[in-house]
Amino acid sequence: MFWYEDEVKRLEQERSKLPYQPKTAFYGSSTITLWESLYEDFKDFSPVNLGFGGSTLAACAWYFERIFAEFNEINSVIIYAGDNDLSNNRHPEEIYLFLFQLFDVIQKRYGTIDCTYVSIKPSPQRWYLNDQVKYTNMIIEKEIKKRGDQLYYIDIYDQYLDDDHRPDSKFFQSDGLHFNKMGHDILRDKLVEHLSALVLQ
C-alpha cells in the first residue's frame, strides 16, 4: 500500500485547514478526489473530501483509521471506489469483501452511522470491464438491501449511458475515465437528494 503514502500525507496536512468539524465524509478514489465543487455542492452537510487518487476499496479499508483519525463528529460516509480494484484484476467477490470490511471499521469507530456506497460507474476507458462492473454492483446492492443497518446503495450506472447503452462521453474528461463537471453534477443531484432524505429520517 506504500504507493498511496503521498496522497494520505496530503490528506493529513489538509484536514487541519477545515474551519469546522465535518459531519459528512466523502471517501474513495479519484471520482471523489477530483470533485472540484464538492465543498460548495454539499455545503449544507458540513462535508470533507477524503478521496485519494487511484485508491481501491482495499486501500480505503487499510487507511481508514489513519485518514479519519481527527474527525470525531462524522455521522455519514459516502463511498465511491471499486473500479480501480477491477482494473487491478480483483474479482467482484473480493471487492464485495473489501467494502463490507470498510463498513465494519467505519461502524466500529462511529457506531451505526449512515454509510452510503455509490455504484461503480460505466466509463469509456474501462468498458471492457462492463460485465464485472455490473456483477459487482449487483452483489453489493443485494447485500446492502439485505443488511439494512443504515447501509445504503446509490445506483448511478444507467445515468451515464447513451441511447445505445454505452458510456456517454459527454459526462467524462478526455481520458474517458474521470467525470467532467456534467458527470459530477448528476452525482451531486443524486447525493443531495439522498442526504436530504437521511436528515429527515
Side-chain angles (χ1 to χ4, degrees):
M1 293 290 179
F2 67 90
W3 51 86
Y4 298 112
E5 190 65 23
D6 287 345
E7 278 284 273
V8 173
K9 286 180 178 178
R10 173 184 62 79
L11 290 174
E12 290 175 327
Q13 292 169 358
E14 289 180 355
R15 66 189 175 196
S16 63
K17 300 176 184 177
L18 273 181
Y20 56 84
Q21 268 289 331
K23 307 290 186 184
T24 305
F26 291 78
Y27 193 42
S29 60
S30 296
T31 294
I32 302 297
T33 312
L34 300 177
W35 197 333
E36 295 181 354
S37 60
L38 186 146
Y39 283 97
E40 178 63 25
D41 290 343
F42 299 97
K43 60 184 179 182
D44 294 337
F45 303 98
S46 302
V48 60
N49 187 330
L50 298 177
F52 55 109
S55 63
T56 60
L57 275 168
C60 288
W62 179 268
Y63 282 107
F64 172 80
E65 292 291 349
R66 182 172 163 189
I67 289 173
F68 281 74
E70 302 298 322
F71 300 118
N72 299 316
E73 299 181 19
I74 299 295
N75 57 32
S76 185
V77 181
I78 307 293
I79 300 161
Y80 182 89
D83 41 8
N84 289 329
D85 300 70
L86 288 175
S87 71
N88 289 340
N89 297 315
R90 294 286 193 180
H91 294 287
E93 289 82 1
E94 292 180 277
I95 298 168
Y96 167 101
L97 291 172
F98 289 135
L99 174 62
F100 285 92
Q101 179 186 355
L102 177 57
F103 284 152
D104 287 344
V105 296
I106 291 172
Q107 295 191 334
K108 181 179 179 181
R109 173 170 170 75
Y110 293 109
T112 306
I113 65 170
D114 297 324
C115 296
T116 302
Y117 180 72
V118 178
S119 68
I120 301 173
K121 67 184 184 292
S123 66
Q125 188 189 76
R126 292 181 176 166
W127 188 238
Y128 68 97
L129 292 170
N130 185 53
D131 287 344
Q132 294 177 69
V133 167
K134 292 173 71 174
Y135 180 68
T136 305
N137 285 340
M138 184 271 290
I139 60 175
I140 288 173
E141 179 181 20
K142 183 178 180 180
E143 184 65 18
I144 285 176
K145 288 182 175 179
K146 183 172 76 174
R147 289 198 186 191
D149 293 329
Q150 291 177 253
L151 304 182
Y152 303 94
Y153 178 85
I154 299 295
D155 185 3
I156 64 169
Y157 181 90
D158 288 341
Q159 303 287 314
Y160 296 97
L161 299 179
D162 61 21
D163 292 339
D164 294 322
H165 302 286
R166 296 179 64 86
D168 193 331
S169 61
K170 72 182 181 184
F171 298 120
F172 295 87
Q173 297 182 26
S174 59
D175 61 9
L177 178 61
H178 299 106
F179 285 147
N180 58 23
K181 186 178 186 306
M182 288 179 63
H184 273 127
D185 284 351
I186 288 177
L187 184 51
R188 174 201 63 202
D189 292 347
K190 296 274 285 189
L191 289 176
V192 166
E193 179 181 8
H194 171 65
L195 289 168
S196 298
L198 293 180
V199 168
L200 295 176
Q201 286 185 353

